Amino acid sequence: MCGIAGLFIKRTRLQPRLGELLASMTSTLCSRGPDSAGFALYTAGEPGRAKLTLTSVEERADFEALGEMLSRAVSAPVSVVGRYTHAVVTVPADLVNLCRNWLLENAQDVRILSEGGHLEIYKEVGYPDDIARSFGIASLGGTHGIAHTRMATESAVTATGAHPFSTGPDQCLVHNGSLSNHASVRRELGRDGIVPQTENDTEVAAGYLTRELKRGRSLGEALKSSVEDLDGFFTFVVGTKNGFGVLRDPIACKPAVMAETDDYVAFASEYRSLTPLPGIKSAKLFEPKPATPYFWEH
Amino acid sequence: MNQIDIGKWSQRDLNMLRTSSDTREIDLLTTSVRDLNATLQAFGSNTRSDEASFRVLTPNGAHAIAVGIDAPLNVEIAGHVGYYCGGMNKCASIIIDGNAGQGVGENMMSGVIHVKGDASQCAGATAHGGLLLIEGNASARCGISMKGIDIVVKGGIGHLSGFMGQTGRLVAFGDAGEALGDSIYEARIYVRGKVESLGADCIEKELRDEHRAELFALLKQADEAHKADVSEFRRYGSARKLYNFHIDNAGAY
């Protein structure tokens, strides 16, 4: 099981409705993954600033105070927007590594879920509809987004074990399926300097794509080589700063249906998840072919 | 072997689809799928074939619509459906005016299911009889483990179609994906387009007169008689080498 919904908006007029549409699409997938859910949204950014989405494994409530300490430590303005159990901390882009290291050393309960100019990730344990409401996903606008409802198989049901996973700036991935060679790929990634933060198999897939992108490959090429290098069954939906990609394993184990109109490209595990979208009745509907990367870019 | 008389099953001929003046409409916006199915399943096998017609509105991709019918009902579904639509169908004529999700007509026993759009994976899986007609394409594993159903797809079929097919006929007007008829038993496959590759123990076979006649009868039921030339199709079936385990064939399983 597990459910995936993805929406890539092609025309600006639907951008303010990204969160609302994504939350509606995800709502029909609750039964596919009732134990946890997550949302990755590419929202507006500020030039020269980077966003870090933070959560705490010890239920830290006061991210404002943490932001003030961080601001003093790096001698630069830091803004904090709290959302339910998460906070988006915006810092100067050139100080992002410094901020990251300071957080890792000084706030050891904090987990950095995403980093980038646009990406924000919200994920929690619980029923997907409740999670979407708690985070206020419907109020967020943006260019593209991916959501996941999880029925855990490979690792524990925790907020940090929920999807989406992000292992590189403005990169994220969700997964339906399970990987059987994630332990060996994890070791290889470790040697290449990419250390997954959780025991989750999907984070290994995200790390794999990050490594391939770092090597200068395009997302399309990275998806193509993952068919050879990752063993198991999977449907991946990935996001980058300005792109959106889909890949299914060679035997197409997991369901996938896509809809395209002049306004958007949408992905879902089941057709009924696409029904809240405007103009769906006249959309071009198709199933992505196995072992074939699909990719759209702004 | 496994000669099957065309038209033997009742209520399977598309030309027999009945139009009833008193069609009852059920809207899934206001009625649950469970209530819809309870209504349809309440008709017994002694129902007259002109007795009851239903039109299902706002399906919105819901799963398990019109499953387990055991009567010659007419059911028209106005839109796309989710998984297992028409599963276990006996005698009913079901028209889907849209696309069908996974497992349409799964384990169908008899009757007709007509998909006006595309069908997702495992169309007609394990089905014992009846006719499944798909106007568009069917994706992977079409007719997997088919046990007597006839499946006619006017578009292409995806990979691993006809996998372990035991009997019945699978016809594709378009192309077939990888590993067609893998580990097939006695199902017969007719493909007009290109076959990406054949699965283990599946081979192309001669298209003899009896096969042309069989295929023509199937095309007739799909309203394609005299529109498509049966000679353009190629026949595929079992080489019968993997029925019983032999150590020399261990690598082929």
Side-chain angles (χ1 to χ4, degrees):
Chain A
M1 275 288 172
C2 292
I4 300 175
L7 184 60
F8 178 81
I9 293 173
K10 296 200 275 188
R11 286 189 185 164
T12 51
R13 69 186 178 98
L14 276 183
Q15 286 180 3
R17 294 183 61 194
L18 175 72
E20 173 214 327
L21 292 170
L22 198 58
S24 303
M25 291 172 74
T26 310
S27 181
T28 57
L29 300 174
C30 289
S31 57
R32 295 189 67 93
D35 67 40
S36 40
F39 297 83
L41 296 106
Y42 290 84
T43 60
E46 298 167 53
R49 308 276 287 170
K51 296 195 264 197
L52 298 166
T53 313
L54 309 183
T55 190
S56 162
V57 292
E58 286 168 16
E59 298 175 14
R60 175 193 289 261
D62 195 356
F63 284 98
E64 291 282 345
L66 183 68
E68 281 167 24
M69 285 163 65
L70 174 62
S71 176
R72 278 196 298 276
V74 299
S75 306
V78 168
S79 63
V80 177
V81 178
R83 275 188 184 275
Y84 189 39
T85 53
H86 292 23
V88 174
V89 176
T90 305
V91 302
D94 53 348
L95 298 181
V96 69
N97 281 333
L98 188 65
C99 294
R100 222 177 214 288
N101 291 336
W102 184 89
L103 286 166
L104 291 176
E105 279 172 27
N106 297 285
Q108 295 188 355
D109 61 308
V110 163
R111 299 288 177 273
I112 302 171
L113 301 181
S114 75
E115 174 204 319
H118 300 273
L119 178 62
E120 297 175 10
I121 287 182
Y122 302 98
K123 56 188 189 181
E124 261 303 340
V125 172
Y127 200 66
D129 273 346
D130 298 336
I131 293 167
R133 235 186 335 268
S134 300
F135 281 115
I137 298 297
S139 66
L140 293 166
T143 50
H144 50 305
I146 303 170
H148 186 270
T149 63
R150 182 173 187 225
M151 190 176 279
T153 55
E154 295 290 304
S155 67
V157 178
T158 58
T160 49
H163 305 212
F165 285 98
S166 178
T167 49
D170 278 327
Q171 294 168 17
C172 72
L173 176 142
V174 300
H175 173 207
N176 180 6
S178 68
L179 301 177
S180 39
N181 66 338
H182 65 97
S184 51
V185 177
R186 186 185 297 272
R187 283 193 292 275
E188 278 173 31
L189 290 175
R191 286 197 288 274
D192 293 334
I194 294 172
V195 182
Q197 292 180 41
T198 71
E199 291 303 306
N200 189 283
D201 57 329
T202 303
E203 193 181 1
V204 172
Y208 173 88
L209 293 178
T210 297
R211 183 187 67 184
E212 298 305 306
L213 293 172
K214 267 188 183 166
R215 288 174 171 174
R217 289 182 147 176
S218 71
L219 184 54
E221 289 167 336
L223 288 171
K224 192 94 197 160
S225 64
S226 71
V227 175
E228 299 298 321
D229 294 336
L230 299 178
D231 186 22
F233 49 100
F234 51 83
T235 292
F236 293 137
V237 179
V238 297
T240 63
K241 186 179 164 189
N242 49 10
F244 176 80
V246 170
L247 177 71
R248 302 176 82 186
D249 69 57
I251 64 164
C253 210
K254 292 295 176 183
V257 59
M258 301 203 65
E260 184 162 16
T261 71
D262 290 342
D263 286 322
Y264 58 80
V265 176
F267 174 97
S269 295
E270 299 177 13
Y271 169 75
R272 57 187 180 144
S273 172
L274 299 171
T275 55
L277 294 173
I280 188 66
K281 287 208 168 102
S282 53
K284 180 189 161 211
L285 295 174
F286 61 100
E287 282 193 3
K289 290 192 165 72
T292 308
Y294 290 77
F295 196 64
W296 291 264
E297 263 183 329
H298 280 122
Chain B
M1 190 179 285
N2 286 306
Q3 282 294 324
I4 294 160
D5 291 337
I6 297 297
K8 188 170 167 184
W9 299 297
S10 62
Q11 313 303 334
R12 55 163 291 166
D13 194 327
L14 280 184
N15 300 323
M16 288 175 65
L17 286 183
R18 303 152 299 266
T19 44
S20 174
S21 52
D22 53 340
T23 297
R24 190 170 148 196
E25 291 197 337
I26 296 183
D27 194 331
L28 291 182
L29 270 183
T30 49
T31 305
S32 70
V33 172
R34 188 167 290 219
D35 288 343
L36 164 73
N37 287 337
T39 303
L40 300 176
Q41 290 162 9
F43 289 87
S45 53
N46 56 353
T47 306
R48 285 194 333 272
S49 62
D50 59 352
E51 201 171 313
S53 288
F54 291 88
R55 194 170 147 76
V56 180
L57 305 175
T58 333
N60 265 353
H63 301 325
I65 292 176
V67 297
I69 301 178
D70 190 11
L73 306 177
N74 296 303
V75 181
E76 191 181 344
I77 304 163
H80 305 309
V81 297
Y83 296 179
Y84 313 125
C85 183
M88 302 175 279
N89 180 40
K90 258 186 180 171
C91 301
S93 296
I94 300 172
I95 299 174
I96 299 161
D97 200 4
N99 299 333
Q102 288 190 34
V104 61
E106 187 190 53
N107 220 61
M108 171 154 81
M109 304 304 286
S110 63
V112 180
I113 298 179
H114 186 180
V115 182
K116 297 280 185 73
D118 295 331
S120 183
Q121 302 191 359
C122 300
T126 75
H128 291 248
L131 174 69
L132 172 60
L133 173 61
I134 297 163
E135 295 288 332
N137 300 306
S139 63
R141 295 176 271 278
C142 180
I144 183 171
S145 197
M146 53 196 284
K147 297 177 172 70
I149 189 178
D150 288 331
I151 305 174
V152 180
V153 182
K154 294 195 185 175
I157 51 178
H159 63 274
L160 277 167
S161 287
F163 178 63
M164 292 187 85
Q166 286 138 64
T167 184
R169 283 77 55 99
L170 170 60
V171 181
F173 284 58
D175 298 340
E178 287 177 356
L180 178 70
D182 194 277
S183 306
I184 191 170
Y185 293 95
E186 292 304 314
R188 290 184 183 153
I189 303 178
Y190 299 97
V191 181
R192 186 167 68 174
K194 186 166 72 74
V195 173
E196 187 76 32
S197 65
L198 292 173
D201 210 32
C202 184
I203 53 170
E204 185 176 350
K205 293 183 164 183
E206 186 192 356
L207 190 73
R208 296 193 298 269
D209 283 349
E210 75 248 39
H211 304 118
R212 287 191 185 88
E214 170 176 87
L215 186 53
F216 182 78
L218 287 165
L219 296 189
K220 203 171 157 191
Q221 298 203 357
D223 199 25
E224 291 288 334
H226 308 297
K227 295 183 204 165
D229 181 357
V230 290
S231 302
E232 290 176 4
F233 287 79
R234 298 166 86 159
R235 179 169 76 103
Y236 303 90
S238 178
R240 303 185 179 119
K241 294 217 170 102
L242 298 180
Y243 274 29
N244 300 303
F245 182 76
H246 190 284
I247 191 66
D248 290 347
N249 294 332
Y253 287 96

